[in-house]
Amino acid sequence: MQNQLLFPLPRRAIGLLASLLLLAGCSVAPTYQKPSVATPAAFKEAPATDAAWKPAEPADQLPRGDWWSVFHDPQLDRLERDAVEANPNLVAAAARLGQARALEQSAHAARLPQVGVGFGPTRQRPSPASQGLAADADTRSTTLWRGQATVAYEVDLFGRLSGTEDAARLDTERNEALFGATLLALQADVAQAYFLIRELDAAQALYVDTVKLRSDTLRLLQRRFDEGDIDELDLARARSELAAARSESLGLARQRAVAEHALAILLGKPPAEFSLPAQPLARMAIPVPAGLPSALLERRPDIAAAERAMAAANARIGVAQAAWFPRLALTGALGYEAGGLGDLFKYASRSFVLGPLVGTALSLPVFDGGARQAGLDQARAAYAEDSARYRQTVLQAFREVEDNLAGLRLLGEQHGEQDQAVAAAERAARLARLQYREGAVSYLNVLDAERSVLQQQRTAVSLDGERARATVNLIRALGGGWTAAAPQAAINGPARGG
């Protein structure tokens, strides 16, 4: 192959090239605007606030701190730390974030010049026609050695490359937000599982006391039966109630084992390597500040992720539109070429090539069977889908906050009524036992009264667990933290036993 020489470019070509270079960086992407979402001035289920309304802006990068510390439970603090260190789902989310960052770097690299080096021979035999010889002329085969550096650079006309990089950057931000959502979900799930176990411990404590009480009652009735004071019916009923209480206690133990296994998986541990000592749940009341919908919901990482997915889709519309415009690729090679390896790096063997060896520098497809239009339609449809998904995410967030605000408010009222129910049932049981000893009522009245006490106590313990979990759910729905100082927990003591 003969050395290619650089010829002066015509003035028109120079002018065209200069005009195209001026277009570098110009984007045809539509201007992105954050969608407007109907935001209420205040939560329906929250106390009235005098704060002014403001539009929501994603603030998921702000630190949330250890929000679970408001429960003042060292055991929960330790479990949360263990989960963050070893949970497989969190590790997978971190890996997805790493992939997104690598793709962003790849998109950025596409905007930079690509430089390479090469070395090697080329064996060739030119045709007689290419040499201006007769068709039957004999041409010799030659070997051409090359050692050169190559450079390739695509001018970013109409923002195709910058749009791709912007979309990759927004995808990275979306994955960062999704990592935050996974982390928040993990922390909330650990707290939920922990409080479920504590609720079951509190219920188990009730049954321990109940089994002891009914065992003592059975021994008393056995003595009275042996002495002939009562018939066998009361004794049989006492035995039935004791067996039923033991059965319920075993059922609670089974539920606790399953809950403990689920918590172990959240911590990234095999169930066989994890156990949690029994500790009945204490009643708690934690005032969680709801604030303004626009101020607190903007901290939810899932909303931030949905918004950034929509922004990335908007950038990809620009990439699809840029496919309708010309592409300019600048290429060149500089180095040495010679017929023999010994002459390769001599001064006289210098050579360069400016422009593509194959094809043209400026290209524009004329007919593609509708591929570009299909790509643009797909990008616009993806943006519409992400926009709808964003609005649905916001609506779902409003619902979750309202649900948990209403749940906590009504649970607080229900607790007051339930405490009265427990107190009334305990008094009725004391009166039934007193009247039975005096012979005024049958033992069946005593059993009914004691069943009522246990049922009301179980309901109270269940409400304690629901209140703790609803508090966790509300914190999760609000994004996992507060902009003001964290509230203090009001601990009223353990659930009352029978």
Side-chain angles (χ1 to χ4, degrees):
M1 177 181 292
Q2 298 179 348
N3 293 349
Q4 300 188 37
L5 302 178
L6 176 64
F7 294 95
L9 294 175
R11 291 184 177 180
R12 291 183 178 179
I14 295 176
L16 176 61
L17 180 61
S19 300
L20 292 173
L21 290 175
L22 288 176
L23 291 174
C26 296
S27 175
V28 294
T31 302
Y32 175 69
Q33 295 181 347
K34 294 178 181 178
S36 59
V37 179
T39 305
F43 290 112
K44 172 184 177 182
E45 301 292 345
T49 178
D50 296 329
W53 178 90
K54 76 179 189 69
E57 297 180 359
D60 58 295
Q61 297 294 337
L62 296 179
R64 292 171 176 78
D66 298 340
W67 55 263
W68 56 87
S69 63
V70 299
F71 295 105
H72 301 291
D73 192 326
Q75 183 74 272
L76 177 60
D77 297 342
R78 180 181 62 81
L79 294 175
E80 293 286 0
R81 290 192 298 269
D82 292 346
V84 171
E85 292 175 358
N87 181 264
N89 288 333
L90 192 62
V91 174
R96 287 192 294 272
L97 176 56
Q99 295 175 49
R101 287 172 175 167
L103 290 174
E104 179 185 0
Q105 179 59 34
S106 177
H108 175 71
R111 300 188 62 185
L112 303 177
Q114 309 298 308
V115 180
V117 294
F119 172 81
T122 300
R123 183 72 174 173
Q124 63 183 22
R125 178 183 177 183
S127 66
S130 68
Q131 305 299 313
L133 303 175
D136 58 350
D138 184 20
T139 58
R140 293 183 303 169
S141 298
T142 60
T143 299
L144 186 65
W145 290 84
R146 285 193 182 91
Q148 60 187 16
T150 60
V151 61
Y153 176 70
E154 180 178 348
V155 181
D156 189 18
L157 298 180
F158 309 104
R160 187 184 71 85
L161 296 178
S162 59
T164 302
E165 183 180 9
D166 289 342
R169 174 181 54 81
L170 291 165
D171 281 341
T172 298
E173 294 180 2
R174 172 177 172 269
N175 277 276
E176 288 174 348
L178 290 176
F179 177 82
T182 303
L183 176 60
L184 178 58
L186 171 63
Q187 293 167 342
D189 288 345
V190 169
Q192 295 274 25
Y194 175 75
F195 287 130
L196 174 59
I197 293 174
R198 293 302 178 228
E199 176 190 337
L200 294 172
D201 287 341
Q204 189 67 268
L206 291 178
Y207 276 94
V208 169
D209 293 341
T210 300
V211 168
K212 182 178 182 302
L213 175 62
R214 291 181 179 175
S215 296
D216 294 340
T217 302
L218 179 60
R219 285 193 294 271
L220 176 61
L221 293 177
Q222 184 68 52
R223 282 199 308 268
R224 295 188 62 186
F225 174 74
D226 294 341
E227 296 172 357
D229 294 338
I230 61 173
D231 57 21
E232 190 178 358
L233 179 59
D234 290 348
L235 184 61
R237 286 172 174 168
R239 287 172 177 167
S240 174
E241 291 299 313
L242 175 58
R246 287 172 174 168
S247 176
E248 289 288 337
S249 178
L250 291 173
L252 288 173
R254 176 179 54 81
Q255 295 178 42
R256 189 191 191 279
V258 173
E260 189 178 73
H261 299 165
L263 180 56
I265 299 303
L266 291 174
L267 303 180
K269 300 179 181 179
E273 297 179 4
F274 175 76
S275 62
L276 200 62
Q279 179 183 335
L281 178 66
R283 178 171 297 183
M284 61 186 69
I286 301 177
V288 179
L292 294 176
S294 58
L296 288 177
L297 290 183
E298 65 191 13
R299 300 195 64 195
R300 283 181 57 129
D302 57 339
I303 292 180
E307 187 273 331
R308 282 152 200 176
M310 186 168 46
N314 182 80
R316 290 189 174 94
I317 293 177
V319 175
Q321 288 178 331
W324 292 86
F325 296 92
R327 295 176 62 175
L328 177 62
L330 304 179
T331 58
L334 176 65
Y336 300 88
E337 62 180 18
L341 182 59
D343 299 328
L344 180 60
F345 294 104
K346 292 183 178 180
Y347 184 79
S349 299
R350 293 173 301 146
S351 69
F352 71 89
V353 176
L354 180 61
L357 295 176
V358 179
T360 59
L362 189 65
S363 62
L364 175 65
V366 176
F367 176 76
D368 60 5
R372 286 174 295 171
Q373 184 61 49
L376 182 58
D377 292 343
Q378 187 273 335
R380 287 172 173 167
Y383 177 80
E385 177 187 2
D386 288 331
S387 179
R389 184 177 290 114
Y390 170 78
R391 289 179 170 84
Q392 182 62 34
T393 302
V394 173
L395 291 175
Q396 181 65 25
F398 286 153
R399 175 194 169 183
E400 291 174 2
V401 174
E402 296 284 11
D403 286 350
N404 289 286
L405 284 173
L408 283 173
R409 175 175 58 82
L410 295 173
L411 280 170
E413 298 175 5
Q414 192 175 359
H415 260 125
E417 299 296 332
Q418 188 60 36
D419 288 343
Q420 295 183 29
V422 171
E426 289 174 344
R427 175 168 175 76
R430 288 194 297 270
L431 292 175
R433 286 191 290 268
L434 178 61
Q435 293 176 357
Y436 176 70
R437 285 195 295 268
E438 295 176 352
V441 296
S442 69
Y443 185 64
L444 185 59
N445 296 80
V446 176
L447 292 178
D448 288 340
E450 290 180 347
R451 289 195 201 104
S452 179
V453 171
L454 181 59
Q455 179 182 356
Q456 300 304 328
Q457 289 175 338
R458 278 294 310 272
T459 301
V461 168
S462 177
L463 290 176
D464 290 338
E466 288 185 29
R467 195 170 190 177
R469 290 190 293 274
T471 301
V472 173
N473 281 336
L474 178 57
I475 296 174
R476 177 179 180 176
L478 293 173
W482 300 269
T483 53
Q488 296 296 316
I491 306 298
N492 297 332
R496 297 166 58 182

